[in-house]
Amino acid sequence: MAKEKLVKAITSMDEDFAKWYTDVVSKAELMDYSSVKGCMIIRPYGWAIWENIQKILDGMFKETGHENVSMPMFIPESLLQKEKDHVEGFAPEVAWVTHGGNDELEEKMCVRPTSETLFCDHYKNIIQSWRDLPKLYNQWCSVVRWEKTTRPFLRSREFHWQEGHTIHATAEEAQAETIQMLNIYADFAEKHLAIPVIKGVKTEKERFAGAVDTYTIEAMMHDGKALQSGTSHFFGDGFAKAFGIQFTDKENKLATPFQTSWGVSTRLIGAIIMTHGDDSGLVLPPAIAPIQLIVVPIASHKEGVTEKATEVYTRLKKVCRAKIDVSDNSPGWKFAEYEMKGVPLRLELGPRDIENNQCVLVRRDNGEKVVVSLDELETVVPEMLEKVRDGLYNKALANRTEKTYTATSLEEMVEIADNKPGFIKAMWCEDRACEEMLKEKAGVSSRCMPFEQEEISQTCVCCGKPAKKLVYWGKAY
Amino acid sequence: MAKEKLVKAITSMDEDFAKWYTDVVSKAELMDYSSVKGCMIIRPYGWAIWENIQKILDGMFKETGHENVSMPMFIPESLLQKEKDHVEGFAPEVAWVTHGGNDELEEKMCVRPTSETLFCDHYKNIIQSWRDLPKLYNQWCSVVRWEKTTRPFLRSREFHWQEGHTIHATAEEAQAETIQMLNIYADFAEKHLAIPVIKGVKTEKERFAGAVDTYTIEAMMHDGKALQSGTSHFFGDGFAKAFGIQFTDKENKLATPFQTSWGVSTRLIGAIIMTHGDDSGLVLPPAIAPIQLIVVPIASHKEGVTEKATEVYTRLKKVCRAKIDVSDNSPGWKFAEYEMKGVPLRLELGPRDIENNQCVLVRRDNGEKVVVSLDELETVVPEMLEKVRDGLYNKALANRTEKTYTATSLEEMVEIADNKPGFIKAMWCEDRACEEMLKEKAGVSSRCMPFEQEEISQTCVCCGKPAKKLVYWGKAY
């Protein structure tokens, strides 16, 4: 009964995917709406996911020589304006601080929408010689962009992210850094989040404000829409020139350094939800699940059940993030609750199981039940968690494969875009007019020019002129 | 030569303590000034100290059942105004956001100076029954207070901290939480930062805006001044009433819950510097030192030295945060550099040491040199790190004992305050007028009424009326 009630509490995915999504983020207690319009509260369960993401990524950044720093959250107007393209991109959507206490500020400041300008200002101070290069910095923080429409985790006025900012003696080194970080993002998404991604480069239209090249990982959500899940930018020496950053090179000559920036945000939580979730709620990849295994005693009023379950839980705590629920809720209610919260494995243990020295393990991703000897739990549980990860990845990959189409003419593109949500692979002449035409006629944007190029046809899907690049097109979050 | 140059680069403590402090934070590369007035950049070495502090404290919070959350960084004006005392305390020093992009906001918002109002707003949404209590929440973030004068780590317009916010069914439970968290702060300061602290309660004048009681840990800096290093507040039901937070209790009646909040900030880094530092620079307690041991090869051009040093470093990496410096700087330059950075232990290894299967370990806190067999490093190094912690603690305690005075009359108080920087223990009648008089005449503020009360005399140090409390007085940062 209770289970039914909980399950009914969320809209089904097929009925209304957007409603399903907002139901899940609320019912799984990931977030709550706040009195601050467009900003959200990330609740303990949601924040624990972010902490797990941070921990793994931070380790990957540090292994590759990056160091964390903390920059101010404010940017004086004059600083924001130093790089022309950058200010044009961001000024229309920043929050402005105009007063400190009762006094009007001499110069207004925005709350950082991103921190390139602050890092440049700092680099100018601390870099003199080639010996000071490279600087491989990162910061974990929140930033603010004054969005008109918002959705939990996907687009909010304040959001948490990490922003890496590096500076190098040569363009080649900066380029290599840009690609290295994109690869780290892709590896993280695929291995730890079980989300397959397409790696590629953005078209000029979709580039970050001020970048020479923007690289991206694009994921496909369950509904066929694209989610840009991480970006890495190569800046050339544009910012350095705008900020007057110079260094003395090994030949004792003044030179201009090259920069990069790269970031992922709490959007990744949105990606997890929309890639793996189902009509029972959240489904979490084990690597970032706050609870990896929930122990549910069955018929716990019977003698010895709670004790045995607690013993099993105590053992499993040492091999995974385990939890036990000994509340007086019914097992059915508990099943539904931890399904809603996306816990990868459930361990059921009742009197008959105890008699047989066994328990039942249930996978959240496919509902598979396995009877396991209590003696083998320490080896079986980590293996099953690995299987859940693989199951999630394969399911997501199958969804993407199924929903990836090719088009060789505009009519075909429109026909697919109107009827089959997904990625559309099509050739492009590199003319921005065609890109805009596709947006207008088919409602799709270019997601990326994938590293893995193919020649689907020889002509641009839009204008028929000779094609230069294969592009992934799609509707995006 | 190089060493001399580095050492000379900082002012001596006795000559000008304030100048010494700003020299150390810059030369040890803890921070840099930014173009954002009153805000600072925390550099990798400084941020790594904060990360170590966070990691230990976060573990202590989680062990005691606390969960991390993330609240918005903005507070709408109407929300800030709900609790009368609170808004009076903070409104004069907040930064106001008035515009989003090009549009003026309907209601201006401040950047949070502290988040009581946001937590209350959230608690009102999520608490219905006694089953929802307690909530034991914490967040790591930065807050903004529009200070007129600022000093790195001690007082800046933006600063990083953690703020715990809990809500309970009964006053007793909230009171116990307040004391528990103060004890956690004290244990952390003494054990991990090697800073002895006085635990006590603030006078009404010094209480947090909106609190019924504010508890504090007070530390004494090397120059005899006090630094408030952590506070824990009991709010009673004042905030809950102002925000209309109610819950159904076990008897099914509507009741009002009780709240607490508690915080420590990057001020702790200031406390570390001013408690343990010396004329060679920073001295870091091992628990939070980014580098606990630096390996310096001596005569590294000689065959086998760098190899052997690297071997030793590789072994020691497993038992502590070790680093090796194989740069072409001279050993003397390296000594000075890592002394400036406060690295607790230095390991010197030269050709003769290698012949004798030994090395020299040098303690940063007292310069003590010990010759150690290379076979025993894994046991000796952790022991020596523990000794450095004890040495630092004892030195700080001796400084505090030496600079703690007692006064029984106003004249005596003024005489001590004018000539002997330190804590002054004196009795007080609990009349605010006397507290203000002491500020005016002796320039001291009440630091706290310590938990460990003594009866120094029977009359108030100021007015001569019967005394009620022993108070620690002092000049403070």
Side-chain angles (χ1 to χ4, degrees):
Chain A
M1 284 300 107
K3 179 175 178 177
E4 216 172 333
K5 204 175 133 204
L6 249 179
V7 171
K8 275 197 182 153
I10 69 167
T11 310
S12 95
M13 300 175 93
D14 290 340
E15 197 183 314
D16 185 342
F17 193 75
K19 182 81 170 46
W20 168 84
Y21 179 79
T22 50
D23 282 353
V24 169
V25 295
S26 292
K27 303 279 175 192
E29 299 188 342
L30 297 180
M31 58 73 67
D32 194 14
Y33 297 94
S34 80
S35 293
V36 191
K37 218 180 142 190
C39 295
M40 65 172 173
I41 292 160
I42 306 185
R43 300 190 64 183
Y45 198 63
W47 193 254
I49 295 173
W50 184 236
E51 282 185 348
N52 288 335
I53 290 174
Q54 285 185 300
K55 202 170 162 186
I56 300 170
L57 273 177
D58 198 65
M60 293 171 96
F61 297 160
K62 283 177 176 158
E63 263 170 41
T64 41
H66 299 87
E67 300 180 294
N68 289 333
V69 298
S70 169
M71 289 287 167
M73 68 153 81
F74 300 118
I75 307 176
E77 190 177 23
S78 56
L79 201 61
L80 187 67
Q81 286 175 339
K82 282 208 174 181
E83 210 287 334
K84 205 181 116 288
D85 292 336
H86 190 69
V87 66
E88 272 177 23
F90 284 104
E93 57 172 40
V94 296
W96 289 106
V97 175
T98 56
H99 290 72
N102 299 315
D103 304 325
E104 192 170 346
L105 301 184
E106 280 175 35
E107 179 183 8
K108 68 177 177 175
M109 305 179 309
C110 70
V111 181
R112 61 180 164 217
T114 178
S115 305
E116 277 73 12
T117 53
L118 293 162
F119 276 88
C120 285
D121 196 39
H122 180 47
Y123 286 145
K124 189 176 159 59
N125 270 346
I126 63 169
I127 289 164
Q128 275 92 39
S129 117
W130 62 272
R131 285 175 176 272
D132 300 321
L133 293 172
K135 294 286 183 209
L136 307 174
Y137 287 173
N138 175 61
Q139 82 174 346
W140 294 93
C141 62
S142 70
V143 292
V144 169
R145 298 178 188 175
W146 219 249
E147 306 282 357
K148 302 276 179 203
T149 52
T150 60
R151 295 184 73 183
F153 296 110
L154 298 176
R155 197 172 292 279
S156 52
R157 287 184 171 174
E158 179 187 5
F159 62 91
H160 293 268
W161 76 348
Q162 58 69 218
E163 46 179 327
H165 294 268
T166 69
I167 185 160
H168 308 260
T170 66
E172 294 67 38
E173 210 186 293
Q175 281 273 20
E177 165 81 8
T178 318
I179 300 296
Q180 172 186 249
M181 299 322 291
L182 191 81
N183 284 330
I184 283 180
Y185 288 156
D187 291 350
F188 172 74
E190 304 208 326
K191 185 169 170 211
H192 299 288
L193 306 184
I195 299 177
V197 294
I198 309 278
K199 294 191 271 191
V201 62
K202 289 279 185 189
T203 61
E204 190 201 354
K205 181 173 183 285
E206 301 289 333
R207 229 176 251 158
F208 181 83
V212 171
D213 272 318
T214 289
Y215 298 89
T216 179
I217 52 169
E218 298 284 324
M220 185 191 285
M221 303 297 98
H222 182 80
D223 65 348
K225 279 199 197 169
L227 189 81
Q228 177 182 303
S229 304
T231 48
S232 183
H233 316 290
F234 171 63
F235 288 128
D237 57 6
F239 273 95
K241 281 187 171 151
F243 281 80
I245 311 172
Q246 290 191 306
F247 69 100
T248 315
D249 67 13
K250 287 187 185 177
E251 282 75 42
N252 218 25
K253 284 187 302 192
L254 266 185
T256 302
F258 296 80
Q259 290 173 264
T260 83
S261 82
W262 30 274
V264 297
S265 73
T266 39
R267 275 207 130 188
L268 287 176
I269 297 176
I272 293 165
I273 301 166
M274 293 195 294
T275 303
H276 304 308
D278 63 22
D279 280 347
S280 302
L282 208 54
V283 182
L284 293 179
I288 56 82
I291 307 167
Q292 294 177 314
L293 177 144
I294 181 73
V295 177
V296 179
I298 310 291
S300 57
H301 55 281
K302 295 256 173 85
E303 202 191 319
V305 171
T306 302
E307 291 72 12
K308 192 70 185 175
T310 305
E311 184 195 310
V312 164
Y313 155 70
T314 309
R315 280 170 51 198
L316 285 177
K317 255 200 315 188
K318 287 169 196 148
V319 298
C320 69
R321 291 187 288 271
K323 199 185 146 176
I324 185 167
D325 187 342
V326 292
S327 69
D328 53 10
N329 293 319
S330 72
W333 195 95
K334 291 177 189 175
F335 293 176
E337 186 184 3
Y338 296 101
E339 279 171 12
M340 178 65 75
K341 293 207 155 185
V343 175
L345 288 180
R346 179 172 77 230
L347 188 155
E348 305 172 5
L349 185 77
R352 210 171 312 166
D353 296 313
I354 295 172
E355 263 172 44
N356 296 324
N357 192 42
Q358 67 183 38
C359 66
V360 180
L361 280 178
V362 187
R363 279 172 61 168
R364 173 65 181 91
D365 62 316
N366 62 6
E368 190 183 305
K369 291 188 179 201
V370 192
V371 176
V372 178
S373 157
L374 293 184
D375 301 334
E376 291 169 4
L377 279 178
E378 277 88 350
T379 50
V380 172
V381 165
E383 282 167 19
M384 290 264 298
L385 288 171
E386 203 46 54
K387 281 184 193 161
V388 171
R389 181 262 159 214
D390 294 345
L392 289 175
Y393 182 84
N394 292 331
K395 204 150 106 182
L397 188 62
N399 181 59
R400 189 182 80 186
T401 306
E402 190 196 318
K403 292 177 181 158
T404 299
Y405 308 94
T406 56
T408 52
S409 70
L410 183 55
E411 300 71 51
E412 209 181 347
M413 187 89 150
V414 172
E415 150 74 18
I416 298 168
D418 284 353
N419 299 299
K420 298 171 182 167
F423 287 164
I424 307 171
K425 291 170 23 174
M427 305 305 291
W428 177 52
C429 62
E430 287 194 336
D431 189 336
R432 191 161 172 154
C434 286
E435 195 178 356
E436 277 158 7
M437 176 77 86
L438 289 170
K439 178 82 195 170
E440 195 194 315
K441 300 281 182 194
V444 295
S445 57
S446 71
R447 304 316 311 150
C448 71
M449 299 180 278
F451 288 166
E452 290 185 19
Q453 284 284 315
E454 303 162 57
E455 191 174 70
I456 287 177
S457 72
Q458 296 183 321
T459 56
C460 173
V461 69
C462 185
C463 67
K465 286 189 194 146
K468 293 188 182 148
K469 280 275 159 38
L470 171 74
V471 174
Y472 274 87
W473 308 85
K475 293 175 183 171
Y477 280 98
Chain B
M1 284 300 107
K3 179 174 180 182
E4 218 173 329
K5 204 175 131 202
L6 248 178
V7 171
K8 276 198 183 153
I10 68 168
T11 310
S12 95
M13 299 175 94
D14 291 339
E15 195 184 315
D16 184 342
F17 193 75
K19 183 80 170 47
W20 168 84
Y21 179 79
T22 50
D23 282 353
V24 169
V25 294
S26 292
K27 302 280 175 192
E29 298 188 345
L30 298 180
M31 58 75 66
D32 194 14
Y33 297 94
S34 81
S35 294
V36 191
K37 216 181 144 189
C39 296
M40 64 173 174
I41 293 161
I42 306 185
R43 300 189 66 182
Y45 197 64
W47 192 254
I49 295 174
W50 184 236
E51 283 185 348
N52 288 334
I53 290 174
Q54 285 186 303
K55 202 171 163 185
I56 300 171
L57 273 177
D58 198 64
M60 293 171 97
F61 298 160
K62 283 177 176 158
E63 263 171 38
T64 42
H66 299 87
E67 300 179 293
N68 288 334
V69 298
S70 170
M71 290 289 169
M73 69 154 79
F74 300 119
I75 307 176
E77 190 177 21
S78 56
L79 201 61
L80 187 68
Q81 288 175 337
K82 283 209 173 179
E83 210 284 336
K84 204 181 116 292
D85 292 336
H86 190 68
V87 66
E88 271 177 25
F90 285 104
E93 57 172 41
V94 296
W96 290 105
V97 175
T98 57
H99 290 73
N102 299 315
D103 304 325
E104 190 170 347
L105 302 184
E106 282 176 33
E107 179 184 8
K108 67 176 177 175
M109 304 179 310
C110 69
V111 180
R112 62 182 165 216
T114 178
S115 305
E116 277 72 12
T117 53
L118 292 162
F119 276 88
C120 284
D121 197 41
H122 181 46
Y123 286 147
K124 189 175 159 58
N125 270 347
I126 63 168
I127 289 164
Q128 275 90 39
S129 115
W130 62 273
R131 284 175 175 273
D132 300 322
L133 292 173
K135 295 287 183 208
L136 307 175
Y137 287 174
N138 175 62
Q139 81 174 348
W140 294 94
C141 63
S142 70
V143 291
V144 170
R145 298 179 188 175
W146 218 249
E147 307 281 356
K148 302 275 179 205
T149 51
T150 59
R151 295 184 73 183
F153 296 111
L154 298 176
R155 198 172 292 279
S156 53
R157 287 185 171 172
E158 179 188 5
F159 62 91
H160 292 269
W161 77 347
Q162 59 67 218
E163 44 178 329
H165 294 267
T166 70
I167 185 162
H168 308 261
T170 66
E172 293 67 37
E173 209 184 294
Q175 280 273 21
E177 166 80 9
T178 317
I179 300 297
Q180 172 185 249
M181 299 323 290
L182 191 81
N183 284 330
I184 283 179
Y185 288 156
D187 290 350
F188 173 74
E190 303 208 328
K191 186 171 168 210
H192 299 288
L193 305 185
I195 299 177
V197 294
I198 307 280
K199 294 192 271 192
V201 61
K202 288 279 186 190
T203 61
E204 191 201 352
K205 182 172 183 285
E206 300 290 332
R207 228 176 250 160
F208 181 82
V212 171
D213 272 317
T214 288
Y215 298 89
T216 180
I217 51 169
E218 298 284 324
M220 185 192 285
M221 302 297 99
H222 182 80
D223 65 349
K225 279 200 197 168
L227 189 82
Q228 177 181 303
S229 305
T231 48
S232 183
H233 315 290
F234 170 63
F235 288 130
D237 57 6
F239 272 97
K241 281 185 171 153
F243 282 80
I245 310 171
Q246 290 190 306
F247 69 99
T248 315
D249 67 15
K250 288 188 183 176
E251 282 75 43
N252 218 26
K253 284 186 302 193
L254 266 187
T256 303
F258 296 80
Q259 289 173 266
T260 82
S261 81
W262 29 275
V264 296
S265 74
T266 39
R267 276 208 128 187
L268 287 176
I269 298 176
I272 293 165
I273 301 167
M274 292 196 294
T275 303
H276 304 307
D278 63 23
D279 280 346
S280 302
L282 207 55
V283 183
L284 293 179
I288 56 82
I291 308 166
Q292 294 177 313
L293 177 143
I294 181 73
V295 177
V296 180
I298 310 291
S300 57
H301 55 280
K302 295 256 173 85
E303 202 191 318
V305 171
T306 301
E307 291 71 13
K308 191 71 184 175
T310 305
E311 184 195 311
V312 164
Y313 155 71
T314 309
R315 280 169 51 197
L316 285 177
K317 255 201 315 188
K318 288 169 195 146
V319 298
C320 69
R321 292 187 288 272
K323 200 185 145 176
I324 185 168
D325 187 342
V326 291
S327 69
D328 53 10
N329 293 319
S330 72
W333 195 95
K334 291 177 189 175
F335 293 176
E337 186 184 3
Y338 297 102
E339 279 170 13
M340 178 65 75
K341 293 207 155 183
V343 175
L345 288 180
R346 179 173 76 230
L347 189 154
E348 305 173 4
L349 185 78
R352 209 171 315 164
D353 296 313
I354 296 172
E355 265 173 40
N356 298 322
N357 192 43
Q358 67 184 36
C359 66
V360 179
L361 281 178
V362 186
R363 279 171 63 169
R364 174 65 181 90
D365 61 317
N366 63 6
E368 190 182 303
K369 290 186 179 202
V370 192
V371 176
V372 178
S373 156
L374 292 183
D375 301 334
E376 291 169 3
L377 279 177
E378 278 87 349
T379 49
V380 172
V381 164
E383 282 167 17
M384 290 262 301
L385 288 171
E386 203 47 55
K387 281 184 193 162
V388 171
R389 181 261 158 216
D390 294 345
L392 289 174
Y393 182 83
N394 291 332
K395 204 150 106 182
L397 189 61
N399 181 58
R400 189 182 79 187
T401 306
E402 189 196 319
K403 292 178 180 157
T404 299
Y405 308 93
T406 57
T408 53
S409 70
L410 183 55
E411 298 71 51
E412 208 182 347
M413 187 91 151
V414 172
E415 151 73 18
I416 298 168
D418 284 352
N419 299 298
K420 299 172 182 166
F423 287 164
I424 307 171
K425 289 168 29 171
M427 304 306 289
W428 178 50
C429 63
E430 287 195 335
D431 189 337
R432 191 161 172 155
C434 286
E435 194 177 357
E436 278 159 6
M437 176 78 84
L438 290 170
K439 179 81 195 172
E440 196 193 316
K441 300 282 181 194
V444 296
S445 57
S446 70
R447 303 317 310 150
C448 70
M449 299 180 278
F451 289 167
E452 290 185 21
Q453 283 284 314
E454 302 163 58
E455 193 176 68
I456 287 176
S457 70
Q458 295 184 320
T459 56
C460 173
V461 69
C462 185
C463 67
K465 286 187 193 148
K468 294 189 182 150
K469 280 276 160 38
L470 171 75
V471 173
Y472 274 85
W473 308 87
K475 293 175 183 171
Y477 279 99

